[in-house]
Structures are given as C-alpha cells and as structure tokens.
Amino acid sequence: MIEAFLQYVFLQRAVYSAVLASIVCGIIGTIIIEKKLVMMSGGIAHTSFGGIGMGFFLKIEPIIGALIFSVLTAIGITTVRRRTNTNSDTLIGIFWAMGMALGILFIAFTPGYPPDISSYLFGDILTVTELDLKIMIALTGLVIFVIVALFNYWKAYLFDEEFSSVIGIKTIFLEYFLFVLIALAIVALIRVVGIILVIALLTIPPAIAKLFTFDLKKMILYAIFLGIVFSFLGLWISYQFNIASGASIILLAGLTYIAAVIIKRS
Amino acid sequence: MNAIEVKDVSVYYGNLCAIRDVNLNVKEKEFLGIIGPNGAGKSTLLKVILGLIKPVSGEVRIFGKDLKETNKILGYIPQTSGFDRNFPINVLDVVLMGRLKNRLSLFHRYAKEDMEIVTDLLDKLGLSDVRDRQIGQLSGGQLQRVLIARALAIEPKIILLDEPTASIDANSRSQIYSLLKELNEEMTIVVVTHDLAAVSAYFDSIACLNKELHYHGDKELDEETVEKIYGCPVELIAHGVPHRVFKVHEEGYDD
Ligand SMILES: Nc1ncnc2c1ncn2[C@@H]1O[C@H](COP(=O)(O)OP(=O)(O)O)[C@@H](O)[C@H]1O
Ligand SMILES: [Mg+2]
C-alpha cells in the first residue's frame, strides 16, 4: 500500500483527509458528547442532504450546498428553540426529515442521469477531490483555531452554562458559534464517512477516550489519535477489499468501543 | 446603600406565576435567610437577582446599578447543579472558572494571581488534597465546598446560596455556616434555606417568601407570620424545626 500511496494521488488525498477528519472528530465529537448534542448533530448532518440535492440541481458543488444547508439548520434550530417552547428533540426530528425529503426532491428534478449519491450518504474517502480536500483543510483549520483560542471559555460553557452567564460570559454567542462549528465539522466529514455514518465517527472515538481519562484536553487528544488509527486501518481494509471506506471505518471503531468497554469492566 | 434592591418583581413561567410583586432590599453586609415552602419561588427570586431570568415586570438593582453595568459582583451557588458530574474536569479547573473574565480574549491563560487566589481558597475550604480529582469522585459535602470556592474565586461583593446544606451531613453544614459567617465581614450573603436552626445561630435577618414576600426583618419570627407563609405551620414545626427561632414560644407543638 505504501508504493500505491506514493504512486496514486487519490490515495494521498484519502490519507490527508483521514487525518483531517480525525482531528475534527476528536475536537467536535468530544464537545457534542459532553454537551449532549449527539442527536442535534445527527439532525444537522441529515438536513445537509437537502443541500447536496440542491447542489446537483443547481449544478454547483454539492458539498457547498451541504455547507449552506447545515449552517442554516444549525442557526435555525438554535433560534427556534430559544424563541419557542418546542422541545429540541421534536425540532431536530422535523429538520432531519425535511432535509432528506428536500434532497430527494431536488435530485428527482435534476435533469439527466440520477447522480451517484451513495458516496455522500455512506462516504467514500477514495474519491475525495482536490476541492473537497481544500474545503476540509480550511474547515479543520478554522475548528482548531476557534476551539484552541477560546478553550477556557468553551470549557466553562460546556461544563456549566448557568455559571458562565452569571460571570457575564455571552453564552448565547457561544451557543450559536458552537452550533455553526458543528455544522462546518459535519460538512468536513461527509466525504469521508457520509451523512448517515458521520455521527458514529463523531461519537465513537471520544466515547472510547472518555473511558481512559478525566481531562477534557486529553480526551480530545486521545480521540484524535483513535480517529487516525481507525481511519487508516479502515482505509486499508477499504482499499484491500474494495468496500466503502465509511462502513469499514465505523465498524472497526464500533467493535473497538465494545472491546474497550468489556476490557474496562473486567 | 442597599446591596440588592428588588422592586415590584413578578415572574411567570408560561401561565404559572412563580413570584408576584416582590419587593426586597438587602443592606450591604446583611446576612439574610430566605425561607418558604417548596415551590414558593425562592430559587426563582435568586435567579432574577442574578439576571438568569428576566422578570415580567419590575427591576433589580445591585448597588444602585443595573445588573448589566455591574461586573462580577455576584457569586452564586445553585440548588441543583446544572452540570454533569461525569464531565471531564477536575476540582482545580472548576474553581479556576470563577477567575474567568467576562470578555472573551483569545488564547486566555490564567494568571499567576488567579492561581494564588484559587490555591488559597482550596486551602481554606479543605480541598487541597482533592484538587486534581475529577468532580464526580467527590462526596456531596466536598462538591458543595467546590461550588462555594468557585463562587468565592469571583471575589464577589454579594454571594447567593440556594439551599447549600440540603444534602450534606451536620458536620459539613456547620463548617459551611461558620465560613459564611466569616465571609460576612466583607460580603453581603443571601441564603435560601430550610434550616431554621442555622438561621437563628448565624443570620441577621430573615425573609419569608411564598409567591409573595410576606416578611422581611428580624430573624425572630412570630407565629402568625410563619403560619401565613407556610399555611400549615404545625406540620412544619413537627418536622423538627427548633422552637427557639420563634419569639412566641408555643409549648403545645412539642412532639
Ligand atoms: N423552568 C421552569 N419552568 C416552569 N416552571 C418552573 C420552572 N422553574 C420553576 N418553576 C415553577 O415555579 C415555581 C417556583 O419554583 P422555585 O423558584 O424553584 O421554588 P423554590 O425554590 O421555592 O422551591 C414552582 O411552582 C415551580 O414548579
Ligand atoms: Mg429552590
């Protein structure tokens, strides 16, 4: 596989995007687990399918469509939740299904052959394009910068929102900011594991990391490390056996989680 | 000057009226206990003072100013901590949080002074040995002291505590009240409590809330007021509230 890596650009891109995805997952995944935003993130991911459909329909890059949809969904859910008494679970369910439905509608109306949407649904790291990679680099850079630069505030906000607002921290601002970051992260991950599986890559590495540390920063770092291991091994399996990378990465991660829990218990 | 002025404050949750037309002035360095039955709106009142809940009507002034103009004057120890005890954070980091500035600054690091203040507080509250422990691995009393340390790390002028001793043993309880008494030399302290024994031993004054504020004044309450607030004073007293709080001593309520 090493020679192949040196020889084929698509493999190089796959490896770079695996590393980027792992970094994003380690950071954002830890946050969504600790802030109990897993379902929310799933909702944003599925809604972005509407954007992918729109991309095909309008003949713009589908990933750009996904970016627009997921950011708007994140802002939308936050705002509606703050303004009304609607339970966010309900809201997420509504956005989730409507996004998917819109995507299907757009694709149905797209003239010509139906586009291949399975790589967006399940991810295919081996087909990552130059543009995808550039978008991922930009998004990953942004996520790292924002989280590192405001780390102490994020920690306070994630741990105890009420106390943070008592000391005058603008928690509403942080909330919107965080949801937009989650949306960006999801878009960065779609090409690697796809809309349906993204939630697994976000949650499994931090969930394993949490078994072994009580420190937020370490949890993030362990999760990034685990993400890299899973995606490299998953990539290798995918390359060797010619199966979708998303599925192999997730299955590997899931089995490791189960093993880790069992080992930890005994 | 009054440390806290609550003027005609009413709060509704949807259609439910939690507190109505509450007026309360707390003097600087007053040690005030707020009592009242469950659901009386005590926690709500504290949250209004803190600016966590916007009242439907009325206003709150802190040292004569709007809450927005005051900066980190209030410390708060909530009744039920809204956080997850499994959160990956240790005691030191929780207390340090009290030192955060309200303005976001990029790449913020805690200063040496922050560390010193926090180390002192951990010492004072007997938490030095557990400073690196994850907060889920503390006893109830220890966690309560961590929250007190965090509130004190703000270096507030006023500190609000919501049933701080509800779930801890008698020993930690008297420890906490002695500490508060000591802090009271510098700070205004407001405590929501059901612990009338503590009220009589440590507090200056008492306020009785049951949707409306029925009484605020000397801690030696008369029977009539208590009856008015609680509705059924007999039951309350039968639950072990010491008689010496009440001026009018009722022999008949001995259990
Ligand atoms: N977030 C909330 N949403 C709706 N109702 C609430 C909320 N918080 C408190 N209440 C209601 O308001 C009333 C006062 O509550 P609270 O201030 O917690 O009383 P206390 O602290 O005196 O027990 C209660 O009837 C309670 O059920
Ligand atoms: Mg209460």
Side-chain angles (χ1 to χ4, degrees):
Chain A
M1 200 174 158
I2 305 285
E3 307 96 78
F5 171 74
L6 295 173
Q7 199 176 346
Y8 297 116
V9 180
F10 78 93
L11 261 188
Q12 290 166 11
R13 286 198 201 121
V15 167
Y16 298 146
S17 47
V19 173
L20 293 171
S22 305
I23 295 171
V24 169
C25 281
I27 298 174
I28 298 295
T30 301
I31 290 176
I32 66 169
I33 284 195
E34 291 306 337
K35 197 71 188 165
K36 318 261 183 300
L37 291 172
V38 174
M39 276 308 117
M40 163 85 186
S41 309
I44 294 177
H46 282 77
T47 314
S48 73
F49 185 67
I52 287 170
M54 187 185 75
F56 281 121
F57 182 69
L58 298 178
K59 307 228 164 356
I60 56 171
E61 189 55 38
I63 209 79
I64 303 285
L67 193 67
I68 296 169
F69 261 61
S70 58
V71 170
L72 290 181
T73 310
I75 295 173
I77 292 181
T78 316
T79 309
V80 179
R81 203 176 51 128
R82 282 201 171 268
R83 296 263 168 86
T84 68
N85 285 330
T86 319
N87 187 314
S88 41
D89 251 10
T90 313
L91 265 176
I92 290 164
I94 294 169
F95 274 90
W96 183 309
M98 273 178 49
M100 294 298 280
L102 264 178
I104 292 166
L105 209 69
F106 275 127
I107 287 169
F109 283 119
T110 304
Y113 272 116
D116 172 34
I117 53 167
S118 94
S119 75
Y120 290 98
L121 289 178
F122 302 104
D124 191 353
I125 203 170
L126 297 174
T127 61
V128 169
T129 65
E130 187 73 37
L131 177 71
D132 292 334
L133 195 62
K134 279 186 182 150
I135 292 175
M136 284 182 73
I137 291 172
L139 295 180
T140 311
L142 185 71
V143 168
I144 295 175
F145 176 78
V146 169
I147 298 299
V148 172
L150 296 174
F151 191 74
N152 285 336
Y153 299 97
W154 288 121
K155 191 144 113 182
Y157 165 78
L158 293 173
F159 173 61
D160 194 342
E161 217 174 309
E162 189 177 60
F163 183 80
S164 304
S165 41
V166 167
I167 58 176
I169 293 175
K170 302 271 174 296
T171 51
I172 297 182
F173 168 75
L174 289 179
E175 180 173 304
Y176 273 103
F177 204 2
L178 176 62
F179 283 18
V180 170
L181 278 183
I182 293 173
L184 297 179
I186 285 167
V187 172
L189 295 167
I190 284 179
R191 289 315 307 256
V192 179
V193 283
I195 287 169
I196 294 176
L197 302 180
V198 68
I199 211 65
L201 197 58
L202 277 168
T203 50
I204 299 172
I208 299 174
K210 196 178 166 81
L211 295 172
F212 298 99
T213 179
F214 284 132
D215 182 85
L216 187 65
K217 209 179 282 171
K218 281 189 191 140
M219 188 170 156
I220 291 174
L221 293 174
Y222 293 177
I224 291 175
F225 173 75
L226 287 165
I228 291 176
V229 172
F230 294 142
S231 42
F232 279 10
L233 284 175
L235 187 60
W236 179 76
I237 294 171
S238 150
Y239 180 75
Q240 290 294 329
F241 302 98
N242 197 24
I243 51 175
S245 59
S248 47
I249 293 171
I250 299 305
L251 282 177
L252 197 64
L255 291 174
T256 310
Y257 175 73
I258 293 167
V261 171
I262 292 169
I263 290 168
K264 195 79 206 209
R265 278 274 168 83
S266 57
Chain B
M1 180 185 261
N2 285 323
I4 306 172
E5 284 174 25
V6 176
K7 287 185 208 152
D8 303 320
V9 164
S10 301
V11 174
Y12 286 81
Y13 294 108
N15 293 326
L16 180 115
C17 176
I19 51 177
R20 185 185 301 135
D21 293 331
V22 170
N23 283 286
L24 175 69
N25 290 333
V26 184
K27 286 199 273 307
E28 195 172 355
K29 302 203 180 136
E30 184 169 334
F31 196 153
L32 170 70
I34 299 179
I35 61 165
N38 288 330
K42 305 180 298 294
S43 301
T44 303
L45 179 60
L46 290 198
K47 285 181 188 165
V48 171
I49 295 172
L50 288 157
L52 292 171
I53 297 178
K54 297 265 165 297
V56 174
S57 62
E59 62 164 353
V60 174
R61 308 223 126 219
I62 306 295
F63 289 107
K65 287 192 199 143
D66 192 273
L67 191 61
K68 284 198 197 74
E69 298 159 44
T70 60
N71 189 9
K72 295 187 69 175
I73 281 182
L74 294 160
Y76 174 47
I77 290 116
Q79 177 176 16
T80 46
S81 34
F83 54 80
D84 172 8
R85 285 187 69 169
N86 288 319
F87 193 91
I89 192 167
N90 64 23
V91 169
L92 179 68
D93 281 352
V94 173
V95 180
L96 270 173
M97 218 168 266
R99 300 301 305 160
L100 271 182
K101 304 282 175 296
N102 56 348
R103 278 245 164 76
L104 303 184
S105 61
L106 294 182
F107 302 104
H108 171 267
R109 291 279 167 274
Y110 292 106
K112 200 158 157 262
E113 191 206 353
D114 297 329
M115 274 315 264
E116 282 164 11
I117 291 170
V118 168
T119 313
D120 278 355
L121 280 171
L122 290 177
D123 252 357
K124 202 167 175 179
L125 286 153
L127 293 165
S128 300
D129 296 341
V130 295
R131 59 180 262 167
D132 295 320
R133 214 179 274 177
Q134 194 264 339
I135 49 144
Q137 299 168 337
L138 300 174
S139 70
Q142 284 171 326
L143 184 62
Q144 199 62 29
R145 278 181 279 149
V146 170
L147 298 185
I148 292 175
R150 179 176 72 167
L152 294 177
I154 299 174
E155 301 193 308
K157 291 216 174 71
I158 304 169
I159 184 159
L160 309 170
L161 300 95
D162 199 346
E163 305 197 20
T165 56
S167 58
I168 58 183
D169 61 66
N171 199 16
S172 321
R173 193 173 308 176
S174 54
Q175 245 180 3
I176 286 178
Y177 280 118
S178 323
L179 174 73
L180 289 178
K181 191 74 200 160
E182 196 184 306
L183 293 169
N184 186 224
E185 315 220 321
E186 314 259 304
M187 287 176 212
T188 310
I189 299 183
V190 178
V191 187
V192 169
T193 184
H194 292 293
D195 187 354
L196 293 184
V199 171
S200 94
Y202 299 98
F203 291 36
D204 299 330
S205 56
I206 192 166
C208 305
L209 186 74
N210 194 358
K211 243 184 213 185
E212 292 168 39
L213 193 78
H214 290 285
Y215 175 87
H216 174 206
D218 196 277
K219 65 183 170 191
E220 314 270 326
L221 265 184
D222 63 70
E223 195 68 27
E224 205 181 308
T225 317
V226 172
E227 188 157 341
K228 203 169 145 201
I229 328 156
Y230 279 92
C232 44
V234 185
E235 197 191 326
L236 180 91
I237 288 163
H239 279 102
V241 175
H243 297 177
R244 65 196 143 103
V245 182
F246 306 105
K247 233 174 200 160
V248 188
H249 200 102
E250 284 286 335
E251 308 290 335
Y253 287 131
D254 273 334
D255 30 47

